[in-house]
Amino acid sequence: MPDLTLEVPQKIRRGRLRWDEQRSVASGVELLKLLASSLGHADLANLRVLDIGCGCKFTQAILDRGLPVGQYVGVDVYGEMIEFLRSSVSDERFEFHHINTHNEMYNPDGEELSDATRLPIAENSFDIICAFSVFTHLAPADYVAMLKMLRRYIKPDGHLFFTVFINEETAGGFGRVDLFKKAMQKAERSQLEKHKDEFVKSQREGIPDFVDAIPEQPLRAAIYSRKHALELMEDTGWHIDSLNDPLMHIQHYMICSPA
Ligand SMILES: C[S@@+](CC[C@H](N)C(=O)[O-])C[C@H]1O[C@@H](n2cnc3c(N)ncnc32)[C@H](O)[C@@H]1O
């Protein structure tokens, strides 16, 4: 395989595909296409995109495949990675910012995400705000706080796109819960009894509003009932346009407009 235009050191890569940079970039290309098309755009040319919890996948995909984008602003709690991107990417369409907000999995010593949290960027200035595999690691209070915080930065005719784990099986079978249920079905009954997974317990008791499904790795899998994922949107300043089923490269995803 040829080298990538931007190679990111293994130690600062995150996400499911962090071990396979080429596959990660290919998935980034597919997701960016889906992002544009599901919001009614041919591509991201002339659009200002804010990517919260950006990681490095989209930056690599855009640079490597020459994908069009008006401006791309990446924000993440991972300081070392943001430093790397700032020092390695000279393309003027890109801007990167570090924020120090708390996340039990990714930034346990960070500051509480609250009404007072601000990003170092202009308000009402983005056509698209996206968060891929970020709400999938947010506790309910942060889910709400993040939505309220992001609301400040969207243009009146812009959209928010984010992925979320929803506690339901889906026809396509691509969801995290589809995988969990398959694993549960495969497991011998005796193994299942010993299994400490909160998800297994919660399924026996009916679908809870929220389950931190792998408690020994807090917020590794933050799973919401469909009802709760939708009701948490109330009073955040967003109108829900759609909640969509998982596809090959993506979990459930929500599309919203400013209310
Ligand atoms: C699973 S990775 C996904 C990265 C990227 N969006 C992707 O799809 O490849 C989750 C990212 O969200 C970042 N993150 C977690 N909580 C955050 C928060 N409250 N604000 C900003 N970034 C956050 C993590 O540091 C990490 O880079």
Side-chain angles (χ1 to χ4, degrees):
M1 274 290 196
D3 291 345
L4 291 166
T5 306
L6 172 68
E7 288 192 17
V8 179
Q10 173 70 61
K11 71 180 174 83
I12 58 169
R13 303 180 59 226
R14 285 176 169 172
R16 197 170 52 85
L17 297 177
R18 64 187 170 282
W19 307 108
D20 186 340
E21 214 169 7
Q22 292 283 356
R23 264 187 75 202
S24 168
V25 166
S27 134
V29 171
E30 291 307 313
L31 293 175
L32 287 166
K33 278 190 204 159
L34 176 71
L35 177 65
S37 64
S38 60
L39 302 180
H41 303 289
D43 53 40
L44 300 176
N46 305 316
L47 298 171
R48 269 173 61 80
V49 179
L50 169 61
D51 187 8
I52 185 91
C54 59
C56 47
K57 181 162 81 179
F58 284 176
T59 301
Q60 286 185 295
I62 293 167
L63 290 174
D64 197 65
R65 305 296 171 87
L67 302 180
V69 65
Q71 194 179 19
Y72 175 91
V73 178
V75 174
D76 206 291
V77 296
Y78 191 5
E80 192 183 347
M81 186 204 58
I82 291 294
E83 272 316 304
F84 169 81
L85 290 171
R86 281 185 155 179
S87 60
S88 311
V89 178
S90 53
D91 187 320
E92 285 182 356
R93 296 170 303 163
F94 289 81
E95 191 178 306
F96 302 100
H97 299 282
H98 173 240
I99 49 164
N100 184 31
T101 47
H102 171 267
N103 178 289
E104 196 53 33
M105 177 176 176
Y106 286 107
N107 195 28
D109 299 324
E111 294 157 11
E112 185 190 357
L113 183 57
S114 74
D115 285 354
T117 308
R118 296 286 185 280
L119 301 176
I121 49 182
E123 297 192 0
N124 308 313
S125 70
F126 288 91
D127 301 289
I128 296 175
I129 299 179
C130 62
F132 285 80
S133 304
V134 176
F135 283 75
T136 48
H137 308 289
L138 291 186
D142 283 343
Y143 183 114
V144 173
M146 178 66 87
L147 288 166
K148 288 184 176 170
M149 194 265 290
L150 293 177
R151 177 64 181 79
R152 298 175 181 281
Y153 302 99
I154 198 75
K155 285 183 182 172
D157 58 351
H159 290 98
L160 168 68
F161 182 118
F162 67 94
T163 62
V164 58
F165 289 140
I166 299 290
N167 203 339
E168 64 189 17
E169 285 175 274
T170 63
F174 293 115
R176 175 55 66 96
V177 166
D178 296 310
L179 295 182
F180 278 1
K181 293 242 170 142
K182 276 179 211 146
M184 283 167 67
Q185 281 156 12
K186 270 194 213 152
E188 295 293 328
R189 193 172 170 70
S190 57
Q191 283 175 301
L192 207 54
E193 292 305 325
K194 278 188 246 146
H195 208 302
K196 291 190 178 61
D197 194 332
E198 283 299 308
F199 179 76
V200 175
K201 275 194 269 165
S202 75
Q203 294 303 300
R204 294 195 181 118
E205 290 158 14
I207 295 178
D209 283 347
F210 171 75
V211 57
D212 193 358
I214 310 173
E216 59 276 25
Q217 296 174 60
L219 296 181
R220 178 100 177 74
I223 303 187
Y224 290 83
S225 70
R226 171 173 281 266
K227 175 174 135 303
H228 203 48
L230 295 174
E231 69 197 6
L232 286 178
M233 302 290 303
E234 287 167 19
D235 303 323
T236 61
W238 293 102
H239 169 265
I240 301 164
D241 297 335
S242 60
L243 172 55
N244 305 275
D245 276 357
L247 302 169
M248 169 124 45
H249 292 283
I250 191 166
Q251 292 296 311
H252 282 85
Y253 58 100
M254 192 100 77
I255 297 179
C256 309
S257 318

